[in-house]
Amino acid sequence: MEARKIIESIVELSLSFSRTIKFHPELERLRAVELYTLFYLIRHGPCKMKDLAEALSMTKANVTHLIDSLEEKGFVKRTKDESDRRATLLRVTEHGEKVYNELLDELSKLVEEVTARLSQEDLSLISRGFERFVALFANSRG
């Protein structure tokens, strides 16, 4: 079953990245769902609590606890929505962006070390495969 092999590969890759993340003292304090939330907010920009809950398939109550924790740790802040003063937007703090960029730098070094052993043809094939896979999932979410 090809789908199962793909999922197992993704899990293995995630675990490999997780071993790298543990070396960052700030990220060691985050649960996986907090890290995913930080990634989401950085990639998609400020959003409302209900939009984040929908994106993460969580209840608004659970997202509230999640954001409370990230805010307490200095990664996220709540700000007033300029277009709707009743609404609150979730934003990544400068500290959150700094830690995210440090993580990306570390992971980039790891990927560069590993991919240095690949031919340019293999590297291009893997890169295109990842891009297609991400696009397929992005387009499948209704």
Side-chain angles (χ1 to χ4, degrees):
M1 183 183 269
E2 200 65 30
R4 187 175 180 95
K5 285 172 67 175
I6 291 171
I7 296 300
E8 288 173 349
S9 294
I10 291 170
V11 169
E12 247 344 280
L13 186 58
S14 296
L15 291 173
S16 293
F17 282 161
S18 292
R19 285 190 290 275
T20 300
I21 290 169
K22 286 182 180 178
F23 293 118
H24 195 295
E26 289 289 324
L27 294 173
E28 281 185 352
R29 300 183 313 141
L30 296 181
R31 296 175 294 151
V33 69
E34 291 173 330
L35 188 61
Y36 295 144
T37 301
L38 181 64
F39 287 175
Y40 180 86
L41 289 172
I42 285 175
R43 303 270 307 156
H44 297 279
C47 69
K48 295 178 183 175
M49 195 81 78
K50 72 177 183 69
D51 297 329
L52 181 61
E54 186 177 300
L56 298 177
S57 299
M58 295 176 71
T59 66
K60 285 194 278 185
N62 284 341
V63 168
T64 298
H65 292 297
L66 180 62
I67 294 303
D68 287 345
S69 177
L70 284 168
E71 193 171 35
E72 185 179 301
K73 293 172 184 172
F75 289 96
V76 173
K77 64 183 174 183
R78 293 172 168 98
T79 60
K80 291 290 180 196
D81 185 345
E82 296 295 325
S83 63
D84 179 359
R85 295 187 60 192
R86 296 168 296 164
T88 301
L89 289 178
L90 306 171
R91 297 180 187 276
V92 175
T93 63
E94 285 183 28
H95 174 71
E97 287 183 23
K98 177 182 174 280
V99 170
Y100 171 82
N101 286 321
E102 289 171 1
L103 171 63
L104 249 48
D105 289 345
E106 286 302 310
L107 291 176
S108 294
K109 288 177 193 171
L110 174 65
V111 169
E112 286 172 7
E113 286 174 22
V114 171
T115 58
R117 295 176 266 185
L118 296 173
S119 69
Q120 188 57 47
E121 183 181 340
D122 285 346
L123 186 55
S124 294
L125 181 68
I126 291 169
S127 182
R128 284 193 315 273
F130 271 121
E131 288 171 3
R132 285 183 186 163
F133 200 64
V134 169
L136 284 170
F137 270 90
N139 293 331
S140 71
R141 293 192 52 140

